[in-house]
Amino acid sequence: SGPSRSFRRSADPVASFAAAEAYCGDSGLARIDSAAENALAAEACGDAVCWLSFRDPSLGGHWRWPGDELPLYTNWNGEYKQPGLDDNGGEREPYSTLNTRGTLWTRGSRTDLSVLDGTWFDAADLGTAHALCNMPLEDAPPRPPPPPPPPPPPPSAPLPPGSCPRGWERGGSKCYRLIGRASQAGCQDMCAAALPGAAGGGAGGAGLVCIESRAEQDFLRTTFGRVGEGCCRWPDPFIGDFGSDQSCCTWSGLFQDPSADSGFRGDAAAGWDLWRAGGCDSGFRAWSRGEPNQWGGLEE
């Protein structure tokens, strides 16, 4: 459930537990009944040590809130085994604080502590803690609005001449990389998103490769030529095989004008002057014998 109270802290430490009760007056020294209230108390206490109204006057392990009320919630520090027995050099510790700074004694061994995480500690009647007072939720100051989101990062700076990002292969003046699996148009989108604004596939930026020379063709065949070998399969209508799998094909950016032919109509060799990468107008072609064609009347 949500918190039923909020809290306010004295600006300075008070002299004792009794002084903390007097400071809070009728609103009362802090009582915490839930994790939500503990979070508010820790926020109000900040990086200080603050008195709570939780007490064990008999030192018998019978911790109570004012009015001898049993706790609905506790948040004792577990790392330092709170509430501890004889952890203050024999000094009585019938009180409790949220956070602690001071000395912990364990079997004669001294540990200097500064714990400011909102957990509870038993305490002697020290004069270094602040008063933490109950406060109705409606009287709590409004919480500040969350900070605005950070601005988006600036666009990637252009690559220095002669360099490629990590994971990319350099060939001549270009950078190359295999990215993902999709149709030719889908792979173009992946390439453009992978290195926006950089010189990759063509003169206009990253994209499916724009092959501009025999030397570039040989480099690509040597570097990436065996990728997808044996799994890039096209349909063969002449033997009744209409299945295909182009999900692992290695695409270049060259494609045919869709209006050049359709099925057995038109010229299968016409319209091959379009590239996916913007700015590419390469006239280099390295067709295999008999290509390009519309094998079996299928659109390729």
Side-chain angles (χ1 to χ4, degrees):
S1 63
S4 60
R5 61 177 66 86
S6 186
F7 305 90
R8 61 182 177 88
R9 191 200 79 183
S10 63
D12 299 308
V14 296
S16 64
F17 180 86
E21 288 186 308
Y23 176 91
C24 292
D26 292 341
S27 62
L29 199 57
R31 169 175 175 155
I32 299 174
D33 288 330
S34 67
E37 290 183 0
N38 198 82
L40 292 177
E43 183 179 2
C45 186
D47 61 356
V49 179
C50 295
W51 287 114
L52 304 177
S53 62
F54 203 37
R55 298 179 57 193
D56 178 20
S58 68
L59 296 176
H62 306 295
W63 290 89
R64 299 289 190 272
W65 294 111
D68 202 35
E69 292 191 31
L70 291 169
L72 302 175
Y73 165 86
T74 60
N75 192 37
W76 293 112
N77 183 283
E79 181 180 1
Y80 295 105
K81 297 179 174 58
Q82 297 295 302
L85 296 176
D86 191 27
D87 59 5
N88 195 33
E91 189 171 0
R92 289 169 52 88
E93 294 184 308
Y95 307 108
S96 62
T97 62
L98 186 128
N99 300 335
T100 193
R101 281 193 186 95
T103 302
L104 179 74
W105 292 90
T106 306
R107 297 177 182 175
S109 175
R110 169 177 173 155
T111 304
D112 292 323
L113 297 181
S114 179
V115 182
L116 307 173
D117 60 1
T119 53
W120 303 358
F121 288 80
D122 59 10
D125 199 0
L126 46 92
T128 57
H130 294 246
L132 186 66
C133 309
N134 298 313
M135 182 172 62
L137 279 174
E138 57 269 21
D139 294 340
R143 301 175 72 86
S156 301
L159 290 172
S163 66
C164 290
R166 181 178 298 177
W168 292 70
E169 296 283 344
R170 182 168 180 77
S173 61
K174 298 181 185 178
C175 301
Y176 305 90
R177 182 180 180 183
L178 291 171
I179 298 176
R181 292 184 176 187
S183 65
Q184 191 197 49
C187 283
Q188 166 62 24
D189 293 339
M190 291 182 188
C191 290
L195 201 62
L208 280 174
V209 64
C210 170
I211 305 175
E212 300 180 274
S213 68
R214 172 63 63 182
E216 185 176 11
Q217 171 81 7
D218 291 344
F219 169 81
L220 294 172
R221 184 175 63 249
T222 301
T223 308
F224 304 110
R226 300 188 68 85
V227 176
E229 189 174 52
C231 73
C232 182
R233 190 168 65 88
W234 298 86
D236 189 343
F238 291 109
I239 61 172
D241 179 8
F242 291 92
S244 65
D245 180 10
Q246 289 99 51
S247 66
C248 63
C249 298
T250 306
W251 299 106
S252 75
L254 181 65
F255 69 106
Q256 185 187 28
D257 183 337
S259 64
D261 66 5
S262 177
F264 289 108
R265 297 187 300 274
D267 183 356
W272 288 95
D273 54 1
L274 301 177
W275 294 85
R276 297 287 182 186
C280 177
D281 58 0
S282 172
F284 175 78
R285 304 290 184 268
W287 295 110
S288 295
R289 180 179 298 178
E291 298 287 348
N293 61 47
Q294 298 288 82
W295 183 249
L298 298 178
E299 186 64 30
E300 297 184 316

